[in-house]
Structure formats: structure tokens, C-alpha cells
Amino acid sequence: MRDLRYIKENSELVKENVRNRFMKVDIDRLLLLYEERNRAQQNLEELRQRRNDNSKQMKGKMEPSEREKLISEGKRLKEEISAKEEEFRRTDSQLQELAKLVPNEAHPDAPVGKEEKDNLELSRWGEIPNFSFAPKDHIELGAELDLMDFESAARVSGPKFYYLKNEAVYLELALVRYALDKLQQRGFTVTITPDIAKEEIVEGIGFNPRGAESNIYNLEDTGTCLVGTAEITLGGYHAGRILDQKELPLRLAGVSHCFRREAGAAGQFSKGLYRVHQFTKVEMFVYATPESSEGLHGELLEIEEDIFRGLRIPYRVVDTCTGDLGAPAYRKYDLEAWMPGRGEGGDWGEVTSTSNCTDFQARRLGVRFKDEETGKNRYVHMLNGTAIAVSRAILAILENNQREDGSVKVPEALVPYTGFSSIGPKKRQARAE
């Protein structure tokens, strides 16, 4: 959530930012409600002061007629205060609902654009594989190597679910451990987070927990949701707290399942493991001082690159355009891995992202720190980044490491965790109809 005073003092900049993000928020209406709310609050304070003055007068000696006047005035003030409190609550509620729609400020260097094609490529790493044979996509490889089963999952759970089988199970566990070891070496406290969060935490992070536009599974009549990312539970960990500046930056890593509705997601690039309703992810989250957040954002990107370099997966880094940032993000970098089975001849596909959300989430969640220099409480900056989204990492590993004989080479960095260095075709057991 943005600072309302900032919005008032910089309304034209805020409107421009909303336009650059291709969003619709009535800033003029918000400012009108802000003024109405402030007037209602001021009126309330004046009425409460008059009530206090009236109560003080009641304590003194006076004629019965004067006391009756004060009692009558006290009753009138009580009714007026009650009416003004209701007016304040109604106006403040409308103001807060509208203020939730105002996106975070975008970094001045973030490319202005509406779609993925408007993202700015910053760098590339690794060599795109040049196969001497026609490469297969991960769906075909998964079937031939008996690593995943989409058909059975569709019958059991519905479309966009999957069973991982055989070596793919160990590959998932290896990727999680590989990422956690990297993060622990970098000073992160590793956690396994809950897969459920309260709606107010989900909303505080910037996800819409309800409605047709929501990408979140809401658990009916519980006030909770399945999390779409451990960013939600890691960000909610210190909700409502004042942190010690000496503890910052706080680096947390969380393993969780991620549940996403992905309503309307279709097309050839959404097939198989690329876009699913449930997957495992290792998430990075940092609580920081405002002065350090930009440098820490670069650190999170560096960690993501280190992880994929260790896996020997070619990738590129893109600076995400304003229209694709998401409301909480000030700036976001995506790591896109090369996926040989994507389209005709291969293409890039997002595998991780990292965002600096500045104080946008902290204002909603009430996370502050005590500034040692001024003694005042300030909002922390919050940053997040994907260490490993397991399903997409498996996709990239299978497609980039396939061999002509149908086998797949396991990245050397994962061999100590898997216990095997390649995955080969196997004789399948007959399955009863």
C-alpha cells in the first residue's frame, strides 16, 4: 500500500505510474475520500474534546438546572459522536479499499510496456544446445522415461496436475536440497512454511484472495487460502512487529507447495510442467532497511544466476516491463531458461523471478524497524526471489540434457543428491485398465 500523504503530494506522478502499468485506479476519487476521511476524523476529535470538557464540568458544584443542561448536552454529544464515528468508518473503509488498488511506484529504469515482449534483455549465460537429432519436449521425454503421468493426475485431481515418478521424484528432492544448501551458505535461515495462510496475510502481500480475478485457492468458510508462493508465509512471519535494526537484513528461505488456479491459462507454452496448479518451490525473502534494498535485490538475482549456472542451464536475465511487474513490485528481474522443446526450434521460458517491493507490503502488514539514528519506527523494505521452482527446473533439465539414445544426463551438481548421473529408458510394468 502506498503512503496516502505521498499520493496527495505527488498525485500526477502517481497517475502517470498507474498509466505506465496499464491499470485503472481513480486517484481523484481516492484524494476526495482522503480529504473526507480527514475532515471526519478532525470533527470526531473536536466532539470528543467537547465531551471531555462537558464531563469535567459535571464534577464541579452547580445548580440542578445547570447539571441538567450538561447531562442533556452530554447525551447529544454522545449521539453526534456515534453518528460521526459511523461516517468515519464508512469513509475510511471506502478509502482503504480504493487505496489497495494503487500499485507501488515503478523503478525509473524499469522499461515501460504492457506485455512480456516489452521486457528488456540484460544479459545471457551459457550456450544453447545444438543437437544432432530432433530434440523432444519434456512431455515426450517424461513419458518415454516413465518420469511423469499427466493422464492419471487428470483423472484423480483434474487438468494441470501431475504425478512425478521414479528418478523424477529424486530429482525434485535433489533440487530442493541443492537450493537450500546454496542459501544456507549465503546466510539464509531455511524453513518449511505452512501451505495455508490467513486471507489478511495473503492480501497484505498483494494477492487477491477472492473473486474471479484471483489466482489463489480460497478455503471456503475458513478465512484462509492455499498459498501460491512461500512469499506469502515468509512475508507474514513478522506481520505487526517492530524489528531491531541490528537484525537487518533478515534472510529467510522457505520450502512450500504452491497452489495456483491459473484460470484461463492455455496455449502450447502452458503445457506439461510449465504451468500447473501445484508445484514445489524454494523461495527467498528478505527484510531490509530502505537504504540497502536495491543492493540486496542485486544479491538475490546473483543467487538465482548462481543456481542455474551450477545446473549448466543456459538462461537470460530480463528487466520486467511496468505492465508485467505486478502491483507490489518496484522492480523485477526474470531469469528465463532456454527450453529446446518450446515452440519450433526452442524458446526462452521464465524459471525464476526476483522483486524489490520496497515498503508496499510492509505498510499493509505493519512490519517496521526502529531506526537507531532517529529513534523513529520506519517501514522495512521487503524483497523476494525464487531460488528453485521445481517443476520448471525439471523441465529445463530434461530438455537441455537429452541425448540421442533417449537418455537424459543429470547435472553434475545434483549427482551427490540423486545418487545417479543419468536417466535412461526403462521397461514399463503393464498397467491394469
Side-chain angles (χ1 to χ4, degrees):
M1 182 175 288
R2 304 295 301 278
D3 181 358
L4 293 173
R5 185 176 296 177
Y6 176 89
I7 294 174
K8 178 183 177 182
E9 294 173 353
N10 301 274
S11 60
E12 292 307 314
L13 288 175
V14 173
K15 289 177 182 178
E16 182 182 9
N17 182 55
V18 170
R19 286 193 298 271
N20 287 344
R21 286 173 174 262
F22 300 89
M23 301 175 71
K24 292 184 179 179
V25 186
D26 192 342
I27 300 300
D28 291 329
R29 170 67 175 157
L30 184 145
L31 293 175
L32 180 64
L33 287 169
Y34 182 54
E35 292 299 327
E36 289 180 4
R37 195 278 306 268
N38 289 348
R39 280 197 299 271
Q41 187 173 28
Q42 185 176 353
N43 290 338
L44 261 178
E45 290 172 356
E46 291 173 354
L47 287 169
R48 286 166 178 162
Q49 184 59 51
R50 285 166 59 186
R51 181 183 61 185
N52 291 340
D53 293 342
N54 184 76
S55 297
K56 288 178 183 177
Q57 292 181 55
M58 292 276 289
K59 295 177 181 178
K61 292 183 179 180
M62 63 189 72
E63 295 294 325
S65 59
E66 292 181 12
R67 185 173 294 278
E68 284 298 321
K69 282 184 180 181
L70 290 174
I71 291 173
S72 178
E73 175 68 3
K75 289 180 178 179
R76 189 190 68 78
L77 286 170
K78 182 179 179 180
E79 291 174 358
E80 191 172 356
I81 287 171
S82 179
K84 288 293 182 182
E85 284 175 339
E86 177 57 33
E87 178 187 336
F88 173 82
R89 281 193 294 268
R90 184 174 60 253
T91 306
D92 186 60
S93 177
Q94 293 174 0
L95 173 63
Q96 297 303 326
E97 286 302 310
L98 189 52
K100 289 175 184 176
L101 303 178
V102 182
N104 199 359
E105 179 184 358
H107 191 286
D109 292 338
V112 176
K114 189 175 184 179
E115 301 170 346
E116 285 185 17
K117 64 179 178 61
D118 300 315
N119 294 342
L120 177 65
E121 182 177 317
L122 299 178
S123 63
R124 291 190 183 192
W125 182 89
E127 293 185 11
I128 292 173
N130 183 20
F131 298 105
S132 60
F133 57 94
K136 302 167 184 175
D137 68 18
H138 72 286
I139 301 174
E140 190 175 359
L141 288 166
E144 293 180 355
L145 298 173
D146 200 19
L147 298 177
M148 55 195 73
D149 187 340
F150 294 98
E151 290 183 13
S152 296
R155 287 189 290 103
V156 172
S157 304
K160 295 190 179 296
F161 286 94
Y162 57 94
Y163 284 91
L164 289 184
K165 300 172 65 180
N166 300 315
E167 291 94 337
V169 175
Y170 295 98
L171 200 53
E172 166 152 330
L173 298 174
L175 283 164
V176 170
R177 182 60 190 273
Y178 166 70
L180 289 177
D181 284 354
K182 289 272 190 184
L183 296 178
Q184 192 172 48
Q185 291 165 11
R186 296 268 191 159
F188 284 77
T189 299
V190 299
T191 70
I192 295 177
T193 78
D195 287 337
I196 292 174
K198 293 180 178 179
E199 287 185 3
E200 57 265 31
I201 299 297
V202 174
E203 190 173 45
I205 285 293
F207 287 82
N208 177 14
R210 290 181 176 272
E213 299 293 320
S214 177
N215 197 25
I216 297 289
Y217 286 104
N218 181 275
L219 301 179
E220 191 174 358
D221 298 327
T222 67
T224 62
C225 306
L226 293 174
V227 299
T229 166
E231 175 191 347
I232 294 169
T233 41
L234 293 175
Y237 192 85
H238 288 294
R241 294 179 180 173
I242 298 175
L243 305 176
D244 187 338
Q245 186 173 353
K246 293 187 179 70
E247 297 176 343
L248 302 179
L250 276 174
R251 296 175 173 88
L252 301 178
V255 182
S256 77
H257 293 110
C258 303
F259 303 89
R260 301 186 183 182
R261 291 176 60 201
E262 299 293 5
Q268 62 170 327
F269 293 162
S270 296
K271 293 190 300 183
L273 292 175
Y274 189 77
R275 199 175 296 281
V276 290
H277 289 314
Q278 177 185 337
F279 60 96
T280 303
K281 182 155 70 80
V282 180
E283 181 76 0
M284 302 179 286
F285 199 91
V286 181
Y287 296 83
T289 62
E291 294 77 15
S292 65
S293 69
E294 194 151 354
L296 287 163
H297 194 203
E299 178 185 315
L300 294 183
L301 176 60
E302 179 188 321
I303 292 170
E304 291 178 346
E305 291 193 70
D306 179 51
I307 286 171
F308 274 83
R309 286 182 181 182
L311 296 174
R312 312 303 294 175
I313 302 294
Y315 67 82
R316 68 175 185 172
V317 178
V318 299
D319 196 351
T320 307
C321 69
T322 52
D324 202 32
L325 275 177
Y330 172 64
R331 196 174 199 181
K332 181 161 81 82
Y333 300 116
D334 286 348
L335 221 67
E336 297 181 348
W338 181 254
M339 298 180 178
R342 202 169 211 233
E344 292 186 14
D347 202 351
W348 303 101
E350 180 195 335
V351 285
T352 72
S353 66
T354 176
S355 300
N356 182 359
C357 296
T358 63
D359 62 358
F360 186 87
Q361 296 168 324
R363 287 180 179 278
R364 291 181 173 211
L365 293 170
V367 186
R368 296 173 290 171
F369 72 98
K370 192 173 188 65
D371 190 304
E372 292 179 338
E373 187 174 333
T374 65
K376 296 181 179 180
N377 293 330
R378 301 169 62 195
Y379 287 103
V380 299
H381 278 197
M382 292 181 169
L383 304 97
N384 65 81
T386 305
I388 282 286
V390 172
S391 55
R392 292 190 180 183
I394 290 176
L395 183 165
I397 288 170
L398 293 179
E399 293 190 0
N400 282 280
N401 291 282
Q402 59 184 296
R403 295 184 285 209
E404 192 168 5
D405 64 0
S407 66
V408 170
K409 179 184 177 183
V410 174
E412 289 183 13
L414 297 183
V415 172
Y417 301 104
T418 61
F420 50 84
S421 59
S422 67
I423 305 171
K426 56 186 69 64
K427 185 178 179 179
R428 296 200 208 171
Q429 294 179 348
R431 187 172 62 186
E433 295 296 332

Short mmCIF file of all heavy atoms in Angstrom, two decimals, residues 59 122 164 201 378:
data_model
loop_
_atom_site.label_atom_id
_atom_site.label_comp_id
_atom_site.label_asym_id
_atom_site.label_seq_id
_atom_site.Cartn_x
_atom_site.Cartn_y
_atom_site.Cartn_z
N LYS A 59 -18.23 17.54 37.24
CA LYS A 59 -17.62 17.20 38.53
C LYS A 59 -17.70 18.36 39.53
O LYS A 59 -17.50 18.16 40.72
CB LYS A 59 -16.17 16.79 38.32
CG LYS A 59 -16.02 15.50 37.51
CD LYS A 59 -14.56 15.17 37.27
CE LYS A 59 -14.42 13.88 36.45
NZ LYS A 59 -13.01 13.54 36.16
N LEU A 122 18.83 -8.11 -20.39
CA LEU A 122 20.02 -7.50 -19.79
C LEU A 122 21.28 -8.32 -20.05
O LEU A 122 22.35 -7.75 -20.23
CB LEU A 122 19.81 -7.33 -18.28
CG LEU A 122 18.66 -6.44 -17.84
CD1 LEU A 122 18.56 -6.42 -16.32
CD2 LEU A 122 18.83 -5.01 -18.36
N LEU A 164 4.83 -37.18 -10.37
CA LEU A 164 6.25 -37.43 -10.66
C LEU A 164 6.55 -38.86 -10.26
O LEU A 164 6.06 -39.35 -9.23
CB LEU A 164 7.15 -36.47 -9.89
CG LEU A 164 7.16 -35.00 -10.33
CD1 LEU A 164 8.17 -34.23 -9.51
CD2 LEU A 164 7.46 -34.87 -11.82
N ILE A 201 -3.22 -11.95 5.48
CA ILE A 201 -1.80 -12.06 5.13
C ILE A 201 -1.64 -12.14 3.62
O ILE A 201 -0.78 -11.49 3.02
CB ILE A 201 -1.16 -13.29 5.81
CG1 ILE A 201 -1.26 -13.18 7.34
CG2 ILE A 201 0.30 -13.43 5.38
CD1 ILE A 201 -0.50 -12.02 7.94
N ARG A 378 10.31 2.94 11.30
CA ARG A 378 10.17 3.06 9.85
C ARG A 378 9.76 1.72 9.27
O ARG A 378 10.05 0.68 9.84
CB ARG A 378 11.49 3.51 9.21
CG ARG A 378 12.03 4.84 9.72
CD ARG A 378 13.46 5.06 9.23
NE ARG A 378 13.53 5.13 7.77
CZ ARG A 378 14.66 5.03 7.08
NH1 ARG A 378 15.81 4.81 7.72
NH2 ARG A 378 14.66 5.12 5.77
#
